Amino acid sequence: MTSQTDLAALLCSRLCHDMLSPVGALSNGLELLSDEKDPEMRQRCIELLEQSARISTDKLKFFRLAFGAAGGFGEAVPIEEAQDVIHALASDAKRVELNWAIGEQTLPKPAIKVLLNLSHIALEALVRGGTLDLGAERRDGNVEIVARATGDRIAFDESVGAALQGELDQSEVTSRTAAAHMISLVAEELGGGLQYKLSKGVLVLGAVIPEPEGMIG
């Protein structure tokens, strides 16, 4: 069994793994800057430091909204917050075209967490770039979410798909599948579910998340 403590530890491991590269680049850049005397090279070091700092900030904003519990799970979150985070991640990923099809002004925090995590999974699958299409809408008391990654090569570990659908043995949950496992639990607790479909050049991730009681308009 994967306890809440185990899941928290796995998510922390994932966070540390994802932050290691940009934070390490900051450390290396500062070391190079302290030794470099050539003005052009110093400017290049500063540019690399700025890039690494921006990527670190973008990742931390993502983790705060995608994994954090600030504000509780019952609050609505402005779509603009999620949009800013996803745009930043897509920009950092490079060679990814992002299409946004969400008319809602806010969504419940559980739906935002699912949207962010599905977006992140889809972005990671676009190892050679491509297109990420995101959509979400309220329908019959539910929030329906879709993230579609289209590209020349889709890199997707189907153990992540199993975790999304609640089909992964809890003893097999790893730092790689912890985020997918977490949002599957979020969906299950609300009476919803997640699914995925993988075909040549296309990965579709979907979710139906019932709105928390008291938030249905």
Side-chain angles (χ1 to χ4, degrees):
M1 293 286 290
T2 300
S3 68
Q4 290 184 346
T5 301
D6 292 334
L7 180 58
L10 290 170
L11 289 172
C12 285
S13 294
R14 177 58 188 270
L15 186 153
C16 291
H17 175 272
D18 284 7
M19 290 300 299
L20 184 60
S21 178
V23 172
L26 280 171
S27 178
N28 293 336
L30 288 170
E31 184 176 346
L32 289 171
L33 188 62
S34 65
D35 296 333
E36 187 58 61
K37 304 301 180 184
D38 181 76
E40 288 189 14
M41 290 302 297
R42 285 181 64 83
Q43 180 60 36
R44 179 58 177 158
C45 286
I46 291 172
E47 290 172 358
L48 290 174
L49 285 170
E50 291 174 343
Q51 181 184 41
S52 297
R54 188 192 71 250
I55 292 173
S56 298
T57 300
D58 292 342
K59 286 182 178 292
L60 286 172
K61 287 179 179 178
F62 167 79
F63 289 128
R64 175 181 176 273
L65 202 54
F67 298 151
F73 284 92
E75 287 191 1
V77 176
I79 280 293
E80 186 177 353
E81 286 191 35
Q83 190 173 19
D84 289 345
V85 171
I86 295 170
H87 271 296
L89 291 179
S91 177
D92 293 338
K94 298 182 175 62
R95 297 181 299 164
V96 174
E97 178 186 348
L98 178 60
N99 297 316
W100 192 265
I102 301 178
E104 306 290 342
Q105 297 300 307
T106 65
L107 287 176
K109 183 165 285 188
I112 290 290
K113 289 184 180 296
V114 170
L115 173 64
L116 286 172
N117 279 281
L118 292 184
S119 300
H120 192 246
I121 292 169
L123 277 172
E124 286 194 322
L126 293 171
V127 292
R128 292 184 180 173
T131 302
L132 174 59
D133 299 306
L134 299 174
E137 65 175 341
R138 285 183 164 94
R139 181 180 296 177
D140 300 327
N142 298 316
V143 179
E144 299 181 0
I145 301 166
V146 63
R148 183 176 63 193
T150 307
D152 292 335
R153 181 187 172 197
I154 299 294
F156 182 69
D157 185 341
E158 295 209 35
S159 66
V160 174
L164 286 173
Q165 296 183 161
E167 298 171 352
L168 190 66
D169 190 298
Q170 291 191 5
S171 64
E172 298 175 349
V173 176
T174 66
S175 59
R176 180 173 180 77
T177 57
H181 179 66
M182 181 199 75
I183 59 173
S184 77
L185 294 177
V186 170
E188 182 181 357
E189 288 172 3
L190 291 170
L194 310 174
Q195 60 183 352
Y196 80 99
K197 182 177 181 181
L198 178 63
S199 57
K200 186 176 181 181
V202 181
L203 171 65
V204 179
L205 307 168
V208 176
I209 309 296
E211 296 206 54
E213 189 174 344
M215 293 190 66
I216 301 175

